[in-house]
């Protein structure tokens, strides 16, 4: 029997939590209430990751269990689904951003402006948030550059770490500062704040130029070859994650696996000793209370893409086609 709904105060809002004892990660004994409590505990961090950004919701209303799968455009019979448009019945305090997709279709997508929106979304079964690298005030020019270090099948997290360190070193040579985070899986993301002056195509070209330079520096580790079957290096720099309507999982999102691992922002000094399995719904709240948000620096300086675009010019790199 479903338990009675609860209402919790989140800032100025009263947010309804239906069936709070519903199992969300049964193998870990975690309920919807536990997931809501987790997002409240890391609230400042996840709101920093999502604030005013159009955000796709990845909803798992039945929870995560062995064999659960997410529906796709080709097969919508999954246990979970992606939601790009504002859900019906959303409170009037849930703000949106108006987007145009590459297909020409448009949508009003959730753009969280307060923690209550995150908790409202969690009540709907949202475990992973997929924010665009733009804000609602300017959806055409990214203000974040996101570098996705994507390991090939069979490649461990420990092989991705030296690539991340080289990203840091190269950015430092250009006078830039990046911030790493785990994905909840074997990969790593590095974020940096940029001036919102360039298009999605120029941002993808900048990441491609960075990837080419990393491939020159780490020829046994890094590839920018697009076609998977042609890649012969363990780590792919996925420049297409900066394409319009391509997003990566936000910091503090929960990976929908039975282990309930989370995407964890890191300090560079702890990267060598970190492991994805160190960070989950149960361990992250205490870490956040003790250390705060390692990505707080993203609120600081914004960097120019000109050095990376100049590198692309010298290398003769055109903007890659959208895929």
């Amino acid at each position: 029997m479903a338990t009675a709904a609860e209402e919790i105060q989140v800032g100025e809002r009263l947010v309804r939590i239906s069936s709070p004892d519903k199992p969300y990660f049964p193998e870990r004994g975690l309920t919807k209430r536990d997931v809501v409590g987790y997002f409240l505990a890391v609230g400042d961090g996840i709101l920093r990751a999502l604030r005013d950004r159009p955000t796709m919701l990845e909803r798992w209303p039945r929870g995560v269990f062995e064999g659960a799968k997410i529906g796709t455009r080709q097969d919508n019979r999954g246990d979970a689904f992606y939601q790009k448009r504002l859900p019906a019945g959303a409170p009037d305090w849930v703000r949106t951003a108006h987007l145009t997709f590459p297909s020409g279709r448009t949508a009003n997508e959730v753009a969280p402006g307060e923690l209550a929106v995150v908790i409202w979304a969690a009540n709907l079964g949202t475990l992973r948030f997929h924010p665009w690298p733009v804000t609602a005030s300017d959806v055409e020019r990214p203000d974040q550059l996101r570098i996705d270090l994507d390991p090939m099948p069979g490649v461990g997290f420990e092989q991705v770490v030296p690539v991340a360190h080289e990203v840091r070193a190269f950015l430092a040579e250009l006078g830039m500062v990046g911030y790493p985070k785990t994905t909840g899986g074997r990969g790593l993301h590095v974020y940096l704040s940029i001036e919102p002056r360039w298009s999605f195509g120029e941002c993808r070209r900048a990441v491609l130029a960075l990837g080419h330079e990393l491939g020159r520096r780490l020829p046994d580790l890094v590839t920018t070859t697009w076609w998977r079957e042609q890649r012969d290096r363990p780590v792919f720099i996925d420049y297409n994650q900066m394409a319009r309507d391509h997003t990566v999982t936000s910091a503090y999102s929960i990976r929908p696996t039975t282990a309930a691992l989370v995407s964890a922002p890191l300090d560079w000094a702890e990267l060598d000793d970190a492991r994805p399995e160190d960070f989950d719904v149960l361990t992250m709240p205490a870490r956040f209370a003790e250390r705060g948000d390692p990505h707080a620096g993203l609120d600081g300086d914004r960097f120019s893409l000109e050095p990376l675009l100049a590198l692309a010019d010298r290398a003769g790199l055109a903007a890659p086609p959208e895929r």
Side-chain angles (χ1 to χ4, degrees), residues 49-50 53-58 82 128-134 144-150 179 181-183 188-192 207 238-253 255 263 295:
L50 303 179
R53 298 189 183 280
T55 300
M56 180 174 67
L57 309 179
E58 185 177 330
Y82 296 107
R128 287 205 288 193
F129 296 83
H130 299 263
W132 285 46
V134 300
Q144 280 185 349
L145 203 70
R146 299 170 178 177
I147 303 162
D148 183 8
L149 309 181
D150 185 14
Y179 296 84
K181 72 177 183 70
T182 68
T183 64
L188 282 164
H189 297 151
V190 179
Y191 284 25
L192 59 152
V207 176
D238 191 354
Y239 52 84
N240 219 44
Q241 293 293 10
M242 284 303 301
R244 181 188 298 274
D245 196 28
H246 285 228
T247 56
V248 297
T249 302
S250 80
Y252 303 101
S253 281
R255 192 174 182 87
S263 178
H295 278 195

Side-chain angles (χ1 to χ4, degrees), residues 155-184:
V155 173
F157 180 80
E158 67 280 357
Q159 290 178 271
V160 184
V161 169
V163 179
H165 281 306
E166 195 62 38
V167 170
R168 181 194 188 192
F170 178 49
L171 291 176
E173 291 171 20
L174 301 180
M176 300 178 179
V177 178
Y179 296 84
K181 72 177 183 70
T182 68
T183 64

Side-chain angles (χ1 to χ4, degrees), residues 119-261:
I119 304 307
W120 162 80
N123 179 60
L124 298 179
T126 304
L127 299 179
R128 287 205 288 193
F129 296 83
H130 299 263
W132 285 46
V134 300
T135 62
S137 62
D138 186 350
V139 298
E140 297 300 326
R141 285 177 284 273
D143 69 340
Q144 280 185 349
L145 203 70
R146 299 170 178 177
I147 303 162
D148 183 8
L149 309 181
D150 185 14
M152 294 293 288
V155 173
F157 180 80
E158 67 280 357
Q159 290 178 271
V160 184
V161 169
V163 179
H165 281 306
E166 195 62 38
V167 170
R168 181 194 188 192
F170 178 49
L171 291 176
E173 291 171 20
L174 301 180
M176 300 178 179
V177 178
Y179 296 84
K181 72 177 183 70
T182 68
T183 64
R186 296 174 293 116
L188 282 164
H189 297 151
V190 179
Y191 284 25
L192 59 152
S193 293
I194 60 173
E195 299 166 355
R197 295 166 46 196
W198 294 276
S199 68
F200 284 94
E202 290 167 316
C203 290
R204 289 164 61 236
R205 185 168 175 253
V207 176
L208 178 59
L210 179 144
H212 270 250
E213 176 62 17
L214 291 179
R216 186 186 68 79
R217 297 179 178 210
L218 301 172
D220 295 329
L221 285 178
V222 172
T223 181
T224 55
T225 299
W226 175 255
W227 299 110
R228 181 180 290 267
E229 61 274 13
Q230 297 175 6
R231 296 176 196 161
D232 58 355
R233 308 292 194 282
V235 180
F236 172 55
I237 309 298
D238 191 354
Y239 52 84
N240 219 44
Q241 293 293 10
M242 284 303 301
R244 181 188 298 274
D245 196 28
H246 285 228
T247 56
V248 297
T249 302
S250 80
Y252 303 101
S253 281
I254 308 171
R255 192 174 182 87
T257 64
T258 55
L261 302 183

